[in-house]
Each structure stands twice: as C-alpha cells, then as structure tokens.
C-alpha cells in the first residue's frame, strides 16, 4: 500500500511538472500574449489570416480597417509602416505582416493540431511553391484581365489566367490524393493561399460573362471551391459572390 501511494504521488508530481512545462512553453512562444488582427471584410488576404486563426482556435480581437484606399488608421501605419496595408497580425508587442507570412507564423506560434503546413519537407516545399504561384501568376493574371483596355488585351490576359488555373488544377489532382482539399481531407496551406483568388475570380466571371472554372478544364477546382466556401473555418468570414460583386462595383464605379 505504501509503495502504491508513493507511485501515485510520483505520477501526480510528474503530471504537475508536465503542466508547468507546457505553461512555460506557452509563455515562451507567446501564446498567452493578446492577439489582434487588422483587416477589411473584403480583403482576400485578410481572409487567409482569419482562416488560419480559426483553424488553430486562437482567440483574437478583430479590428476592421476602413477604406484603406482613401485613408489608413494610425494603428495600421504604425503596425505596417513599410507596406501600409492589411492584414496585420499583432501578437503582444510584435506585428506580423503579409498574409502568407501570417499563416506560417500562426502555424508555428500555436503548434497544436491541426497543422497548416505539411510536416514532410518535400510536401512543405511544394506547398510554399504553389502558394507563391497563386500570389504571383495567379493574381497577376486576374489583375491583367480586370485592367485590360481592349478586347485583344482582354483575350490575351484571359488565356494566361486559364493557363494558371490549369496548372492549379493539375496541382490539385496530384496533392489532394483523392481528398476534398489540396491538403487531402483537411484544409492546409495551399488551400488557404488559393482561397484568396476565389472571390476576385468570381467578380471577373460576373463582369466578363466568361466562366474560367469549368467542368471540362478544371473539374477538381470547381468542387474544391464549393467545399472551401462551405468549410466551417471559411464560411463565417468569406463574403458571398453578390457581396464581392457589389463591392467591386462601388470600388471601380461600375454599374
């Protein structure tokens, strides 16, 4: 009996030490520091940050920035003096800028499951490649279609956009491994990155009358986009197509 009691005490002490160590680790990685996110409801880049924070169950204060094209708050200018744009994650006394950078930071600062970036080095490198592809060729193609001055320029830009989407379709087919998302059965880094083009793409389709996502050329992306919009970490924060279109009309003074 005395031996068992000693064993029980040892187990209790071990559990206490584990809890203390976990608490110390949380303090060291800043998990107990207050978290704020500066964003705008219409920003596809702020959406990335909100999805990442939701997936990690991080409690934070959301600060809605006004019309950043006309004026910027003192907090935004102080927190992101280089680019002066949203999103900005404020964690304690530190400011983290740029949406993909924020997503990676959230994944590392709150290492609990689910992981956003793959643990496998090759898969992690591939995820980063496609995320940067979206922010590079993806958005460049969308901006080119939107800013085309004539039909010839618009057709050329549309062709480039379709090529980019075809590349993403191929990447989805390979990386999803039969699952609903780029990360397989769960939303991951590439999903969050690609999710930023869903809204702008829907606006381009609405104004141009061209369906860039089609069952013939991008069947996987069509199903992925539907699942992505409906995901519980996305739906509360992502504007509807109608809201995106109405915002674009007001922003560019289009009837």
């Amino acid at each position: 009996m005395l031996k068992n009691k000693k064993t029980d005490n040892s187990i209790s002490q071990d559990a206490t030490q584990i809890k203390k160590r976990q608490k110390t680790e949380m303090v060291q990685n800043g998990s107990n520091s207050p978290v704020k996110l500066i964003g705008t409801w219409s920003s596809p880049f702020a959406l990335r940050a909100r999805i990442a924070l939701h997936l990690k169950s991080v409690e934070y204060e959301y600060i809605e920035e006004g019309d950043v094209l006309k004026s910027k708050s003192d907090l935004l200018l102080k927190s992101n003096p280089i680019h002066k744009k949203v999103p900005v994650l404020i964690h304690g006394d530190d400011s983290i800028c740029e949406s993909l950078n924020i997503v990676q930071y959230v994944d590392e600062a709150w290492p609990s499951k689910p992981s956003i970036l793959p643990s496998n080095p090759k898969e992690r490198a591939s995820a980063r490649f496609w995320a940067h592809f979206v922010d590079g060729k993806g958005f460049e193609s969308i901006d080119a279609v939107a800013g085309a001055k004539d039909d010839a320029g618009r057709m050329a830009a549309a062709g480039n956009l379709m090529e980019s989407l075809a590349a993403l379709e191929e990447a989805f087919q390979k990386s999803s491994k039969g699952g609903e998302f780029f990360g397989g059965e769960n939303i991951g880094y590439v999903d969050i990155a690609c999710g930023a083009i869903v809204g702008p793409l829907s606006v381009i389709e609405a104004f141009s009358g061209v369906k860039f996502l089609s069952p013939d050329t991008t069947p996987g992306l069509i199903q992925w986009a539907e699942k992505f919009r409906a995901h519980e970490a996305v739906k509360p924060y992502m504007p509807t197509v109608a809201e995106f279109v109405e915002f674009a009309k007001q922003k560019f003074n289009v009837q």
Side-chain angles (χ1 to χ4, degrees):
M1 292 294 292
L2 290 175
K3 184 177 181 180
N4 290 340
K5 185 175 181 180
K6 184 177 181 181
T7 301
D8 291 343
N9 288 337
S10 298
I11 294 173
S12 177
Q13 290 174 359
D14 290 342
T16 301
Q17 290 300 319
I18 291 173
K19 289 181 179 179
K20 286 183 178 179
R21 186 161 60 249
Q22 289 174 338
K23 186 174 181 180
T24 301
E25 290 172 353
M26 288 179 66
V27 172
Q28 288 175 343
N29 68 28
S31 297
N32 284 346
S33 302
V35 181
K36 300 179 181 179
L37 177 67
I38 307 174
T40 59
W41 69 271
S42 59
S43 169
F45 303 106
L47 175 67
R48 288 173 172 171
R50 302 200 77 173
I51 294 171
L53 290 166
H54 186 111
L55 288 172
K56 290 292 187 174
S57 300
V58 179
E59 294 185 3
Y60 65 99
E61 177 187 353
Y62 177 71
I63 302 172
E64 177 72 19
E65 185 74 9
D67 189 343
V68 293
L69 296 179
K70 294 181 179 179
S71 63
K72 304 176 191 295
S73 69
D74 291 340
L75 179 61
L76 177 60
L77 295 175
K78 177 183 177 182
S79 304
N80 190 359
I82 304 299
H83 297 296
K84 304 177 178 65
K85 62 182 182 180
V86 299
V88 179
L89 182 73
I90 303 174
H91 191 188
D93 296 327
D94 299 314
S95 297
I96 299 91
C97 307
E98 299 298 300
S99 61
L100 291 178
N101 191 35
I102 290 173
V103 173
Q104 293 185 60
Y105 177 85
V106 169
D107 194 34
E108 295 171 1
W110 290 273
S112 59
K113 298 293 183 179
S115 296
I116 295 175
L117 277 157
S119 58
N120 180 282
K122 290 183 180 180
E123 293 180 356
R124 190 161 60 248
S126 178
R128 286 174 173 151
F129 172 86
W130 287 110
H132 287 293
F133 177 86
V134 169
D135 276 9
K137 288 191 175 182
F139 273 103
E140 287 173 6
S141 300
I142 290 175
D143 291 342
V145 173
K149 302 300 182 182
D150 51 43
D151 290 341
R154 193 171 296 107
M155 288 181 63
N160 290 333
L161 176 54
M162 288 180 175
E163 288 182 6
S164 295
L165 292 174
L168 284 175
E169 172 71 20
E170 184 177 353
F172 173 78
Q173 297 294 349
K174 290 181 179 179
S175 64
S176 64
K177 301 174 183 177
E180 296 179 339
F181 303 102
F182 281 88
E185 295 301 326
N186 301 307
I187 278 186
Y189 188 64
V190 182
D191 298 287
I192 296 174
C194 288
I197 70 171
V198 173
L201 190 60
S202 65
V203 172
I204 295 296
E205 289 182 333
F207 282 117
S208 68
V210 177
K211 288 294 183 182
F212 291 98
L213 294 180
S214 72
D216 295 329
T217 58
T218 56
L221 288 181
I222 288 180
Q223 295 181 10
W224 165 82
E226 292 177 354
K227 295 293 184 181
F228 180 80
R229 284 182 178 277
H231 194 277
E232 55 91 17
V234 178
K235 190 174 181 179
Y237 317 112
M238 189 171 197
T240 64
V241 173
E243 289 171 333
F244 270 127
V245 170
E246 184 59 31
F247 173 78
K249 287 181 178 179
Q250 295 178 6
K251 179 178 178 180
F252 299 107
N253 195 26
V254 178
Q255 300 300 321

